[in-house]
Protein backbone atom coordinates (compact mmCIF):
# COMPACT_ATOMS: atom_id res chain seq x y z
CA UNK A 1 0.00 0.00 0.00
CA UNK A 2 1.47 3.36 -1.07
CA UNK A 3 2.07 5.96 1.66
CA UNK A 4 0.66 9.48 1.22
CA UNK A 5 3.33 12.07 1.91
CA UNK A 6 1.93 15.15 3.63
CA UNK A 7 4.12 18.17 3.08
CA UNK A 8 4.81 19.94 6.35
CA UNK A 9 3.71 23.58 6.42
CA UNK A 10 6.40 26.16 7.03
CA UNK A 11 6.15 27.81 10.45
CA UNK A 12 5.98 31.62 10.31
CA UNK A 13 4.87 34.74 12.16
CA UNK A 14 3.20 37.72 10.58
CA UNK A 15 3.36 41.50 11.09
CA UNK A 16 0.16 43.21 9.99
CA UNK A 17 0.81 46.86 9.08
CA UNK A 18 -2.19 49.19 9.30
CA UNK A 19 -1.85 52.90 10.15
CA UNK A 20 1.79 52.44 11.19
CA UNK A 21 3.76 52.48 7.94
CA UNK A 22 7.29 53.07 9.24
CA UNK A 23 10.41 51.10 10.13
CA UNK A 24 11.38 52.76 13.44
CA UNK A 25 9.69 52.94 16.85
CA UNK A 26 7.65 49.98 15.71
CA UNK A 27 6.73 47.56 18.49
CA UNK A 28 5.18 44.95 16.18
CA UNK A 29 8.32 44.71 14.03
CA UNK A 30 10.48 44.53 17.14
CA UNK A 31 8.36 41.70 18.55
CA UNK A 32 8.63 39.76 15.29
CA UNK A 33 12.43 40.07 15.38
CA UNK A 34 12.59 38.99 19.02
CA UNK A 35 10.48 35.89 18.30
CA UNK A 36 13.41 34.43 16.29
CA UNK A 37 11.18 32.95 13.65
CA UNK A 38 10.68 33.73 9.94
CA UNK A 39 8.04 36.41 9.49
CA UNK A 40 6.10 38.17 6.76
CA UNK A 41 5.25 41.87 6.82
CA UNK A 42 1.95 42.57 5.12
CA UNK A 43 -0.37 45.44 4.22
CA UNK A 44 -3.93 44.75 3.09
CA UNK A 45 -5.73 46.96 0.59
CA UNK A 46 -9.20 45.75 1.56
CA UNK A 47 -11.88 46.30 -1.12
CA UNK A 48 -14.59 46.99 1.45
CA UNK A 49 -12.51 49.73 3.10
CA UNK A 50 -11.43 51.26 -0.21
CA UNK A 51 -15.12 51.56 -1.13
CA UNK A 52 -16.18 52.97 2.26
CA UNK A 53 -17.44 56.61 2.11
CA UNK A 54 -14.55 57.97 4.23
CA UNK A 55 -11.88 56.70 1.82
CA UNK A 56 -10.43 58.57 -1.16
CA UNK A 57 -7.76 58.21 -3.81
CA UNK A 58 -5.49 60.72 -2.04
CA UNK A 59 -5.45 58.50 1.06
CA UNK A 60 -4.70 55.41 -1.00
CA UNK A 61 -1.89 57.16 -2.86
CA UNK A 62 -0.36 58.30 0.42
CA UNK A 63 -0.47 54.75 1.77
CA UNK A 64 0.98 53.30 -1.43
CA UNK A 65 3.94 55.69 -1.49
CA UNK A 66 4.50 55.28 2.25
CA UNK A 67 4.89 51.56 1.61
CA UNK A 68 7.35 52.23 -1.22
CA UNK A 69 9.44 54.44 1.07
CA UNK A 70 9.42 51.88 3.89
CA UNK A 71 10.46 49.13 1.49
CA UNK A 72 13.46 51.16 0.36
CA UNK A 73 14.66 51.11 3.97
CA UNK A 74 13.92 47.39 4.40
CA UNK A 75 15.62 46.38 1.15
CA UNK A 76 19.05 46.23 2.83
CA UNK A 77 17.71 43.34 4.93
CA UNK A 78 16.04 41.58 1.98
CA UNK A 79 12.70 42.43 3.57
CA UNK A 80 9.61 44.26 2.36
CA UNK A 81 6.05 45.07 3.30
CA UNK A 82 4.12 42.98 0.82
CA UNK A 83 0.78 44.43 -0.34
CA UNK A 84 -2.34 42.38 -1.00
CA UNK A 85 -5.69 43.33 -2.50
CA UNK A 86 -8.22 41.27 -0.57
CA UNK A 87 -10.36 41.22 2.54
CA UNK A 88 -8.56 40.45 5.78
CA UNK A 89 -10.56 37.29 6.50
CA UNK A 90 -9.82 35.93 3.02
CA UNK A 91 -6.12 36.65 3.43
CA UNK A 92 -5.83 34.92 6.80
CA UNK A 93 -7.72 31.88 5.54
CA UNK A 94 -5.24 31.71 2.65
CA UNK A 95 -2.25 31.97 5.01
CA UNK A 96 -3.60 29.26 7.29
CA UNK A 97 -4.05 26.96 4.31
CA UNK A 98 -0.41 27.32 3.24
CA UNK A 99 1.52 28.03 6.44
CA UNK A 100 1.76 27.03 10.07
CA UNK A 101 1.05 30.50 11.43
CA UNK A 102 2.10 30.90 15.06
CA UNK A 103 1.66 34.59 15.93
CA UNK A 104 0.39 37.85 14.47
CA UNK A 105 1.84 41.20 15.58
CA UNK A 106 0.16 44.55 14.95
CA UNK A 107 -0.86 47.82 16.53
CA UNK A 108 -4.31 48.40 17.94
CA UNK A 109 -6.42 50.42 15.52
CA UNK A 110 -8.80 53.08 16.86
CA UNK A 111 -10.78 53.06 13.66
CA UNK A 112 -14.34 53.15 12.41
CA UNK A 113 -16.90 50.49 13.30
CA UNK A 114 -16.18 48.64 10.04
CA UNK A 115 -12.53 48.04 10.98
CA UNK A 116 -13.52 47.02 14.51
CA UNK A 117 -15.95 44.42 13.13
CA UNK A 118 -13.27 43.25 10.68
CA UNK A 119 -10.81 42.75 13.54
CA UNK A 120 -13.36 40.74 15.50
CA UNK A 121 -13.78 38.37 12.53
CA UNK A 122 -10.01 38.00 12.21
CA UNK A 123 -9.72 37.40 15.95
CA UNK A 124 -12.27 34.59 15.72
CA UNK A 125 -10.31 32.93 12.90
CA UNK A 126 -7.04 33.17 14.84
CA UNK A 127 -8.56 31.93 18.11
CA UNK A 128 -10.16 28.98 16.33
CA UNK A 129 -6.70 27.99 15.07
CA UNK A 130 -4.88 28.67 18.39
CA UNK A 131 -2.88 31.57 16.94
CA UNK A 132 -1.79 34.40 19.21
CA UNK A 133 -2.50 37.96 18.14
CA UNK A 134 -0.35 40.56 19.93
CA UNK A 135 -1.78 44.06 19.50
CA UNK A 136 0.38 46.90 20.79
CA UNK A 137 -0.85 50.15 22.26
CA UNK A 138 -0.67 53.10 19.90
CA UNK A 139 -0.01 56.72 20.90
CA UNK A 140 -0.90 56.30 24.55
CA UNK A 141 -4.49 55.31 23.67
CA UNK A 142 -5.82 52.63 26.02
CA UNK A 143 -8.20 49.93 24.91
CA UNK A 144 -10.99 48.69 27.16
CA UNK A 145 -11.14 51.57 29.64
CA UNK A 146 -14.57 52.83 30.72
CA UNK A 147 -13.51 56.21 32.10
CA UNK A 148 -10.50 58.53 32.35
CA UNK A 149 -9.38 57.73 35.90
CA UNK A 150 -5.56 57.98 35.95
CA UNK A 151 -5.49 58.47 32.17
CA UNK A 152 -3.16 61.50 32.28
CA UNK A 153 -0.69 59.70 34.52
CA UNK A 154 -0.67 56.56 32.39
CA UNK A 155 -0.35 58.65 29.22
CA UNK A 156 2.75 60.38 30.60
CA UNK A 157 4.23 57.05 31.68
CA UNK A 158 3.80 55.76 28.14
CA UNK A 159 5.97 58.60 26.84
CA UNK A 160 8.62 58.42 29.56
CA UNK A 161 10.73 55.94 27.60
CA UNK A 162 12.60 56.73 24.35
CA UNK A 163 11.37 55.46 20.95
CA UNK A 164 12.27 51.93 19.89
CA UNK A 165 15.36 51.62 17.71
CA UNK A 166 14.36 48.82 15.40
CA UNK A 167 17.03 46.49 14.06
CA UNK A 168 16.48 43.84 11.43
CA UNK A 169 17.99 40.48 10.60
CA UNK A 170 18.58 39.42 7.00
CA UNK A 171 15.57 37.66 5.54
CA UNK A 172 16.17 34.50 3.50
CA UNK A 173 12.54 33.85 2.55
CA UNK A 174 11.13 34.64 -0.93
CA UNK A 175 8.07 36.88 -1.30
CA UNK A 176 4.74 35.16 -0.78
CA UNK A 177 3.24 33.77 -3.98
CA UNK A 178 -0.45 34.66 -3.89
CA UNK A 179 -3.55 35.50 -5.98
CA UNK A 180 -4.12 38.92 -4.33
CA UNK A 181 -2.09 41.36 -6.43
CA UNK A 182 -3.31 44.92 -6.83
CA UNK A 183 -5.12 45.33 -10.16
CA UNK A 184 -2.81 47.11 -12.60
CA UNK A 185 -5.29 49.96 -13.21
CA UNK A 186 -5.60 50.52 -9.47
CA UNK A 187 -1.86 50.41 -8.91
CA UNK A 188 -1.37 53.00 -11.66
CA UNK A 189 -3.86 55.34 -9.96
CA UNK A 190 -2.09 54.87 -6.63
CA UNK A 191 1.27 55.59 -8.23
CA UNK A 192 0.22 58.91 -9.82
CA UNK A 193 0.44 61.38 -6.92
CA UNK A 194 -1.07 64.84 -7.33
CA UNK A 195 1.51 67.62 -7.37
CA UNK A 196 -0.05 69.73 -4.60
CA UNK A 197 -0.13 67.04 -1.89
CA UNK A 198 2.59 66.51 0.69
CA UNK A 199 4.84 63.63 -0.34
CA UNK A 200 4.32 60.43 1.62
CA UNK A 201 6.61 58.27 3.69
CA UNK A 202 8.95 58.08 6.65
CA UNK A 203 11.73 59.96 4.84
CA UNK A 204 9.49 62.93 4.06
CA UNK A 205 8.02 62.86 7.56
CA UNK A 206 11.42 63.44 9.13
CA UNK A 207 12.19 66.23 6.66
CA UNK A 208 9.05 68.08 7.77
CA UNK A 209 9.68 67.47 11.46
CA UNK A 210 13.32 68.56 11.31
CA UNK A 211 12.54 71.66 9.26
CA UNK A 212 9.96 72.59 11.92
CA UNK A 213 12.37 72.29 14.84
CA UNK A 214 15.31 73.79 12.91
CA UNK A 215 13.54 76.86 11.56
CA UNK A 216 9.84 76.85 10.61
CA UNK A 217 8.41 76.27 14.07
CA UNK A 218 9.81 79.30 15.85
CA UNK A 219 6.66 81.35 15.09
CA UNK A 220 4.23 78.42 15.31
CA UNK A 221 2.28 79.92 18.22
CA UNK A 222 1.92 83.27 16.47
CA UNK A 223 0.74 82.00 13.10
CA UNK A 224 -1.27 78.90 14.02
CA UNK A 225 -4.62 80.58 13.26
CA UNK A 226 -3.53 82.35 10.07
CA UNK A 227 -4.68 80.36 7.03
CA UNK A 228 -1.91 81.70 4.80
CA UNK A 229 1.12 81.78 7.12
CA UNK A 230 0.25 78.60 9.05
CA UNK A 231 0.94 76.55 5.95
CA UNK A 232 4.62 77.16 6.60
CA UNK A 233 4.83 77.70 10.37
CA UNK A 234 2.69 74.75 11.47
CA UNK A 235 4.29 71.33 11.95
CA UNK A 236 2.58 69.88 8.86
CA UNK A 237 3.29 66.42 10.28
CA UNK A 238 -0.37 65.44 10.69
CA UNK A 239 -0.51 63.23 7.54
CA UNK A 240 2.57 61.37 8.75
CA UNK A 241 1.03 60.80 12.17
CA UNK A 242 -2.29 59.73 10.67
CA UNK A 243 -0.79 57.05 8.44
CA UNK A 244 1.96 56.12 10.88
CA UNK A 245 5.06 57.37 9.08
CA UNK A 246 5.87 58.95 12.46
CA UNK A 247 4.77 57.92 15.93
CA UNK A 248 3.62 60.46 18.51
CA UNK A 249 6.48 59.30 20.73
CA UNK A 250 9.06 59.99 18.03
CA UNK A 251 7.75 63.53 17.63
CA UNK A 252 7.56 64.19 21.38
CA UNK A 253 11.08 62.84 21.91
CA UNK A 254 12.56 64.78 18.98
CA UNK A 255 10.93 68.10 19.90
CA UNK A 256 11.57 67.95 23.64
CA UNK A 257 15.24 67.03 23.15
CA UNK A 258 15.99 69.46 20.35
CA UNK A 259 18.68 72.12 20.99
CA UNK A 260 16.15 74.82 20.05
CA UNK A 261 13.59 73.75 22.65
CA UNK A 262 14.48 76.31 25.33
CA UNK A 263 14.88 79.05 22.73
CA UNK A 264 11.41 78.36 21.30
CA UNK A 265 9.75 76.84 24.36
CA UNK A 266 6.38 78.48 23.79
CA UNK A 267 6.15 77.41 20.15
CA UNK A 268 7.46 73.89 20.69
CA UNK A 269 5.40 73.47 23.85
CA UNK A 270 2.31 74.41 21.87
CA UNK A 271 2.98 71.62 19.40
CA UNK A 272 3.48 69.10 22.19
CA UNK A 273 0.25 70.18 23.88
CA UNK A 274 -1.62 69.54 20.66
CA UNK A 275 -0.05 66.11 20.39
CA UNK A 276 -1.62 65.27 23.74
CA UNK A 277 -4.96 66.69 22.60
CA UNK A 278 -4.65 64.40 19.60
CA UNK A 279 -4.33 61.36 21.84
CA UNK A 280 -7.18 62.66 24.02
CA UNK A 281 -9.61 62.76 21.09
CA UNK A 282 -8.53 59.38 19.72
CA UNK A 283 -9.12 57.97 23.21
CA UNK A 284 -12.69 59.33 23.04
CA UNK A 285 -13.24 57.55 19.74
CA UNK A 286 -11.65 54.35 21.06
CA UNK A 287 -14.27 54.28 23.83
CA UNK A 288 -17.21 55.35 21.62
CA UNK A 289 -16.80 54.74 17.88
CA UNK A 290 -20.48 55.64 17.43
CA UNK A 291 -19.17 59.21 17.06
CA UNK A 292 -19.10 58.35 13.35
CA UNK A 293 -22.83 57.81 12.94
CA UNK A 294 -24.70 59.10 16.00
CA UNK A 295 -24.62 62.25 18.11
CA UNK A 296 -22.37 61.35 21.04
CA UNK A 297 -24.93 63.20 23.16
CA UNK A 298 -28.06 61.33 22.12
CA UNK A 299 -30.15 64.32 23.19
CA UNK A 300 -29.17 66.03 19.93
CA UNK A 301 -30.67 63.28 17.77
CA UNK A 302 -33.98 65.13 18.11
CA UNK A 303 -32.50 68.45 16.93
CA UNK A 304 -34.16 69.10 13.58
CA UNK A 305 -32.02 70.49 10.76
CA UNK A 306 -33.29 71.90 7.46
CA UNK A 307 -31.96 69.75 4.62
CA UNK A 308 -30.88 71.90 1.68
CA UNK A 309 -28.99 70.13 -1.09
CA UNK A 310 -28.11 73.30 -3.00
CA UNK A 311 -26.57 74.84 0.12
CA UNK A 312 -24.65 71.63 0.76
CA UNK A 313 -23.32 71.56 -2.81
CA UNK A 314 -22.22 75.21 -2.59
CA UNK A 315 -20.35 74.43 0.64
CA UNK A 316 -18.75 71.32 -0.84
CA UNK A 317 -17.50 73.11 -3.94
CA UNK A 318 -16.46 76.41 -2.33
CA UNK A 319 -19.15 78.66 -3.85
CA UNK A 320 -21.03 79.96 -0.80
CA UNK A 321 -20.38 83.65 -1.45
CA UNK A 322 -18.28 83.94 1.70
CA UNK A 323 -14.66 84.28 0.56
CA UNK A 324 -12.84 82.70 3.51
CA UNK A 325 -15.20 79.71 3.56
CA UNK A 326 -14.76 79.20 -0.18
CA UNK A 327 -10.98 79.69 -0.05
CA UNK A 328 -10.69 77.11 2.73
CA UNK A 329 -12.71 74.50 0.89
CA UNK A 330 -10.91 75.03 -2.42
CA UNK A 331 -7.51 74.93 -0.73
CA UNK A 332 -8.48 71.70 0.99
CA UNK A 333 -9.66 70.17 -2.26
CA UNK A 334 -6.35 70.96 -3.96
CA UNK A 335 -3.80 70.38 -1.18
CA UNK A 336 -5.48 68.16 1.43
CA UNK A 337 -4.57 70.50 4.29
CA UNK A 338 -5.87 73.64 6.03
CA UNK A 339 -5.21 74.77 9.58
CA UNK A 340 -7.40 73.87 12.53
CA UNK A 341 -9.30 77.16 12.75
CA UNK A 342 -10.37 76.95 9.10
CA UNK A 343 -11.48 73.35 9.61
CA UNK A 344 -13.56 74.38 12.59
CA UNK A 345 -15.05 77.28 10.61
CA UNK A 346 -16.08 74.99 7.73
CA UNK A 347 -17.95 72.67 10.10
CA UNK A 348 -19.47 75.53 12.07
CA UNK A 349 -20.68 77.26 8.91
CA UNK A 350 -22.25 74.05 7.59
CA UNK A 351 -24.03 73.08 10.79
CA UNK A 352 -24.95 76.46 12.25
CA UNK A 353 -25.22 79.11 9.54
CA UNK A 354 -26.48 76.65 6.89
CA UNK A 355 -28.40 74.61 9.48
CA UNK A 356 -27.33 71.23 8.05
CA UNK A 357 -26.95 67.99 9.96
CA UNK A 358 -23.29 67.23 10.65
CA UNK A 359 -23.60 63.82 9.01
CA UNK A 360 -24.14 65.31 5.53
CA UNK A 361 -20.64 66.80 5.56
CA UNK A 362 -18.57 64.40 7.58
CA UNK A 363 -17.48 62.03 4.81
CA UNK A 364 -16.89 64.87 2.36
CA UNK A 365 -14.22 66.37 4.63
CA UNK A 366 -12.88 62.94 5.61
CA UNK A 367 -12.10 62.28 1.95
CA UNK A 368 -10.43 65.65 1.47
CA UNK A 369 -8.22 65.63 4.56
CA UNK A 370 -4.91 64.05 3.61
CA UNK A 371 -4.37 63.63 7.36
CA UNK A 372 -7.73 61.94 7.96
CA UNK A 373 -7.64 60.18 11.30
CA UNK A 374 -10.99 58.72 12.47
CA UNK A 375 -10.23 59.30 16.14
CA UNK A 376 -9.68 63.01 15.48
CA UNK A 377 -12.18 63.60 12.71
CA UNK A 378 -15.45 62.40 14.23
CA UNK A 379 -15.12 63.76 17.81
CA UNK A 380 -13.83 67.11 16.49
CA UNK A 381 -16.59 67.33 13.89
CA UNK A 382 -19.24 66.83 16.55
CA UNK A 383 -17.56 69.29 18.90
CA UNK A 384 -17.67 72.00 16.23
CA UNK A 385 -21.24 71.02 15.29
CA UNK A 386 -22.27 71.61 18.92
CA UNK A 387 -23.67 68.10 19.52
CA UNK A 388 -21.62 67.08 22.57
CA UNK A 389 -23.48 69.05 25.22
CA UNK A 390 -20.27 69.58 27.20
CA UNK A 391 -18.19 71.88 24.99
CA UNK A 392 -18.71 75.59 24.40
CA UNK A 393 -20.64 76.07 21.18
CA UNK A 394 -18.46 78.10 18.83
CA UNK A 395 -20.25 79.67 15.87
CA UNK A 396 -17.49 81.14 13.73
CA UNK A 397 -18.37 84.30 11.81
CA UNK A 398 -16.49 83.83 8.51
CA UNK A 399 -16.34 87.58 7.82
CA UNK A 400 -14.87 88.33 11.25
CA UNK A 401 -12.42 85.44 10.84
CA UNK A 402 -11.45 86.80 7.43
CA UNK A 403 -10.61 90.29 8.69
CA UNK A 404 -8.79 88.98 11.77
CA UNK A 405 -6.76 86.11 10.33
CA UNK A 406 -6.35 87.02 6.64
CA UNK A 407 -6.36 90.84 6.80
CA UNK A 408 -4.33 91.25 3.61
CA UNK A 409 -6.52 88.60 1.92
CA UNK A 410 -3.43 86.66 0.83
CA UNK A 411 -5.16 83.32 1.41
CA UNK A 412 -8.37 84.44 -0.28
CA UNK A 413 -6.55 85.84 -3.31
CA UNK A 414 -4.67 82.58 -3.82
CA UNK A 415 -7.66 80.26 -3.59
CA UNK A 416 -10.47 82.47 -4.88
CA UNK A 417 -8.62 84.08 -7.80
CA UNK A 418 -11.77 85.71 -9.19
CA UNK A 419 -11.54 88.13 -6.24
CA UNK A 420 -7.79 88.76 -6.51
CA UNK A 421 -8.02 92.05 -8.42
CA UNK A 422 -10.52 93.67 -6.08
CA UNK A 423 -9.27 96.29 -3.62
CA UNK A 424 -8.83 95.14 -0.04
CA UNK A 425 -11.88 97.07 1.18
CA UNK A 426 -14.11 94.82 -0.94
CA UNK A 427 -12.33 91.50 -1.06
CA UNK A 428 -13.64 90.23 2.30
CA UNK A 429 -17.23 91.29 1.51
CA UNK A 430 -17.54 91.63 -2.27
CA UNK A 431 -21.35 91.71 -2.06
CA UNK A 432 -21.09 95.20 -0.54
CA UNK A 433 -19.93 96.63 -3.85
CA UNK A 434 -22.53 98.77 -5.59
CA UNK A 435 -23.08 98.67 -9.32
CA UNK A 436 -20.70 101.58 -9.90
CA UNK A 437 -17.94 99.86 -7.92
CA UNK A 438 -18.49 96.66 -9.85
CA UNK A 439 -18.31 98.43 -13.21
CA UNK A 440 -15.06 100.15 -12.17
CA UNK A 441 -13.36 96.83 -11.57
CA UNK A 442 -15.01 94.88 -14.38
CA UNK A 443 -16.67 92.64 -11.81
CA UNK A 444 -20.28 91.46 -11.65
CA UNK A 445 -21.66 89.88 -8.51
CA UNK A 446 -23.62 86.75 -9.24
CA UNK A 447 -21.57 86.14 -12.39
CA UNK A 448 -17.91 86.50 -11.40
CA UNK A 449 -18.62 85.36 -7.86
CA UNK A 450 -21.84 84.17 -6.18
CA UNK A 451 -23.97 86.27 -3.88
CA UNK A 452 -23.94 85.00 -0.27
CA UNK A 453 -26.13 81.93 0.23
CA UNK A 454 -27.64 83.31 3.43
CA UNK A 455 -28.01 86.36 5.61
CA UNK A 456 -25.08 85.78 7.95
CA UNK A 457 -26.36 87.89 10.84
CA UNK A 458 -29.91 86.53 10.84
CA UNK A 459 -28.83 82.90 10.43
CA UNK A 460 -26.21 83.32 13.14
CA UNK A 461 -28.80 84.60 15.62
CA UNK A 462 -31.20 81.80 14.69
CA UNK A 463 -28.45 79.18 15.10
CA UNK A 464 -27.43 80.44 18.54
CA UNK A 465 -31.01 80.45 19.77
CA UNK A 466 -31.65 76.98 18.37
CA UNK A 467 -28.56 75.25 19.71
CA UNK A 468 -28.60 76.85 23.17
CA UNK A 469 -32.31 76.23 23.72
CA UNK A 470 -31.91 72.59 22.76
CA UNK A 471 -28.98 72.30 25.15
CA UNK A 472 -31.39 72.91 28.05
CA UNK A 473 -33.41 69.76 27.29
CA UNK A 474 -33.45 67.05 29.94
CA UNK A 475 -32.07 64.39 27.59
CA UNK A 476 -29.09 66.58 26.66
CA UNK A 477 -28.34 67.36 30.32
CA UNK A 478 -28.53 63.68 31.31
CA UNK A 479 -26.27 62.66 28.44
CA UNK A 480 -23.82 65.47 29.25
CA UNK A 481 -23.30 64.03 32.74
CA UNK A 482 -22.60 60.60 31.24
CA UNK A 483 -20.10 62.03 28.75
CA UNK A 484 -18.25 63.99 31.45
CA UNK A 485 -18.02 60.88 33.61
CA UNK A 486 -16.64 58.85 30.71
CA UNK A 487 -14.28 61.25 28.97
CA UNK A 488 -12.95 63.78 31.48
CA UNK A 489 -9.59 62.79 32.98
CA UNK A 490 -9.41 62.15 36.71
CA UNK A 491 -6.01 61.55 38.28
Amino acid sequence: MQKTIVKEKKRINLVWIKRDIRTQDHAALEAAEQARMPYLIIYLFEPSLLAYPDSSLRHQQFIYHSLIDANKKLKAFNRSIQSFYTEATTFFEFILKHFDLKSVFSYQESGIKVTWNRDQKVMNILKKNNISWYQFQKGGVMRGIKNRINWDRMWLENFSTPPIKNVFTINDQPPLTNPFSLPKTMEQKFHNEAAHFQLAGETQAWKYLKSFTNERGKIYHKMISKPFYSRKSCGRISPYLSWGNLSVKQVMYHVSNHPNFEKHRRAFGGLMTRLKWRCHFIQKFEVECDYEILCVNRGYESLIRAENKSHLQAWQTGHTGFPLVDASMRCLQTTGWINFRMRAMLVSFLCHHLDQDWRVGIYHLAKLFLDYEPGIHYPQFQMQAGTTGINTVRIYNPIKQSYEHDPEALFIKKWVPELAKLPIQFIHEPYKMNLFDQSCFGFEMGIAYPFPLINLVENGKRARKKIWEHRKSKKVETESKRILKTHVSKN
Side-chain angles (χ1 to χ4, degrees), residues 213-227:
T213 48
N214 290 340
E215 180 63 27
R216 292 188 301 106
K218 63 185 179 183
I219 54 171
Y220 169 77
H221 57 299
K222 295 179 181 179
M223 298 298 176
I224 189 171
S225 295
K226 311 299 181 186

Side-chain angles (χ1 to χ4, degrees), residues 56-265:
S56 65
L57 179 60
R58 63 185 61 184
H59 300 158
Q60 296 148 18
Q61 289 171 333
F62 199 92
I63 291 166
Y64 180 84
H65 286 276
S66 295
L67 293 168
I68 289 174
D69 184 69
N71 283 341
K72 287 178 182 177
K73 298 177 185 301
L74 293 169
K75 187 176 181 180
F77 310 99
N78 196 35
R79 296 191 181 278
S80 68
I81 304 170
Q82 198 169 349
S83 298
F84 303 90
Y85 178 66
T86 185
E87 301 297 344
T89 50
T90 303
F91 175 80
F92 279 98
E93 286 165 355
F94 173 83
I95 286 291
L96 290 171
K97 184 177 179 181
H98 294 88
F99 293 91
D100 179 11
L101 181 62
K102 302 307 292 183
S103 299
V104 177
F105 305 103
S106 74
Y107 276 97
Q108 294 171 350
E109 183 178 5
S110 298
I112 55 178
K113 193 75 173 284
V114 172
T115 61
W116 172 260
N117 292 338
R118 179 268 323 267
D119 284 354
Q120 296 310 298
K121 292 176 183 177
V122 171
M123 178 67 79
N124 290 336
I125 292 172
L126 297 180
K127 277 186 175 179
K128 183 180 176 182
N129 290 276
N130 297 314
I131 297 162
S132 300
W133 186 3
Y134 300 95
Q135 297 187 70
F136 296 92
Q137 189 184 74
K138 182 179 178 183
V141 176
M142 297 160 204
R143 178 157 288 178
I145 64 172
K146 302 299 181 186
N147 55 53
R148 289 298 186 91
I149 294 173
N150 294 323
W151 187 83
D152 281 327
R153 179 181 58 78
M154 291 186 288
W155 186 88
L156 285 170
E157 286 177 1
N158 183 273
F159 289 93
S160 63
T161 56
I164 296 167
K165 291 185 178 180
N166 287 88
V167 293
F168 299 94
T169 53
I170 302 296
N171 173 52
D172 60 0
Q173 306 299 315
L176 175 63
T177 303
N178 68 92
F180 307 126
S181 297
L182 276 171
K184 291 295 182 184
T185 54
M186 182 177 288
E187 188 169 13
Q188 186 61 43
K189 286 181 181 179
F190 291 177
H191 186 77
N192 295 331
E193 285 181 294
H196 294 291
F197 296 144
Q198 287 178 247
L199 296 177
E202 197 171 9
T203 303
Q204 291 295 326
W206 278 102
K207 285 182 179 178
Y208 272 86
L209 181 56
K210 288 177 179 178
S211 70
F212 175 84
T213 48
N214 290 340
E215 180 63 27
R216 292 188 301 106
K218 63 185 179 183
I219 54 171
Y220 169 77
H221 57 299
K222 295 179 181 179
M223 298 298 176
I224 189 171
S225 295
K226 311 299 181 186
F228 185 81
Y229 294 105
S230 62
R231 299 192 70 79
K232 182 176 180 181
S233 64
C234 276
R236 302 297 303 272
I237 58 173
S238 53
Y240 306 113
L241 290 169
S242 294
W243 303 106
N245 300 162
L246 285 173
S247 70
V248 174
K249 181 179 280 192
Q250 284 176 306
V251 179
M252 295 280 283
Y253 192 79
H254 174 81
V255 174
S256 61
N257 289 283
H258 197 275
N260 284 341
F261 184 82
E262 288 303 324
K263 186 179 178 182
H264 305 307
R265 174 178 282 273

Side-chain angles (χ1 to χ4, degrees), residues 468-483:
W468 283 108
E469 284 187 356
H470 196 86
R471 189 164 181 153
K472 297 173 186 175
S473 73
K474 191 169 183 179
K475 177 73 171 175
V476 168
E477 289 179 352
T478 301
E479 278 286 284
S480 295
K481 291 175 183 176
R482 177 192 66 79
I483 293 167

Side-chain angles (χ1 to χ4, degrees), residues 168-371:
F168 299 94
T169 53
I170 302 296
N171 173 52
D172 60 0
Q173 306 299 315
L176 175 63
T177 303
N178 68 92
F180 307 126
S181 297
L182 276 171
K184 291 295 182 184
T185 54
M186 182 177 288
E187 188 169 13
Q188 186 61 43
K189 286 181 181 179
F190 291 177
H191 186 77
N192 295 331
E193 285 181 294
H196 294 291
F197 296 144
Q198 287 178 247
L199 296 177
E202 197 171 9
T203 303
Q204 291 295 326
W206 278 102
K207 285 182 179 178
Y208 272 86
L209 181 56
K210 288 177 179 178
S211 70
F212 175 84
T213 48
N214 290 340
E215 180 63 27
R216 292 188 301 106
K218 63 185 179 183
I219 54 171
Y220 169 77
H221 57 299
K222 295 179 181 179
M223 298 298 176
I224 189 171
S225 295
K226 311 299 181 186
F228 185 81
Y229 294 105
S230 62
R231 299 192 70 79
K232 182 176 180 181
S233 64
C234 276
R236 302 297 303 272
I237 58 173
S238 53
Y240 306 113
L241 290 169
S242 294
W243 303 106
N245 300 162
L246 285 173
S247 70
V248 174
K249 181 179 280 192
Q250 284 176 306
V251 179
M252 295 280 283
Y253 192 79
H254 174 81
V255 174
S256 61
N257 289 283
H258 197 275
N260 284 341
F261 184 82
E262 288 303 324
K263 186 179 178 182
H264 305 307
R265 174 178 282 273
R266 186 175 176 188
F268 288 11
L271 178 72
M272 293 175 73
T273 296
R274 283 164 179 79
L275 286 171
K276 186 179 179 185
W277 287 357
R278 185 180 192 278
C279 299
H280 164 77
F281 279 100
I282 294 175
Q283 184 68 66
K284 284 187 175 187
F285 196 65
E286 173 66 30
V287 174
E288 291 190 78
C289 64
D290 281 345
Y291 266 104
E292 179 195 355
I293 54 175
L294 296 172
C295 294
V296 64
N297 186 313
R298 301 296 191 264
Y300 285 96
E301 286 296 324
S302 60
L303 180 64
I304 298 172
R305 297 289 192 182
E307 183 181 352
N308 189 315
K309 291 184 178 179
S310 63
H311 282 188
L312 177 62
Q313 184 179 22
W315 175 81
Q316 289 176 332
T317 59
H319 290 86
T320 66
F322 293 96
L324 191 61
V325 172
D326 295 340
S328 297
M329 186 63 81
R330 295 185 198 182
C331 176
L332 184 57
Q333 289 169 340
T334 301
T335 72
W337 190 90
I338 51 175
N339 68 356
F340 174 79
R341 183 173 287 267
M342 297 305 104
R343 298 180 191 216
M345 182 191 67
L346 284 178
V347 177
S348 171
F349 185 80
L350 173 72
C351 299
H352 300 305
H353 287 107
L354 297 185
D355 195 30
Q356 300 299 292
D357 188 280
W358 59 271
R359 280 161 284 220
V360 302
I362 200 158
Y363 292 132
H364 177 74
L365 290 188
K367 287 181 175 182
L368 292 182
F369 289 141
L370 190 62
D371 56 9

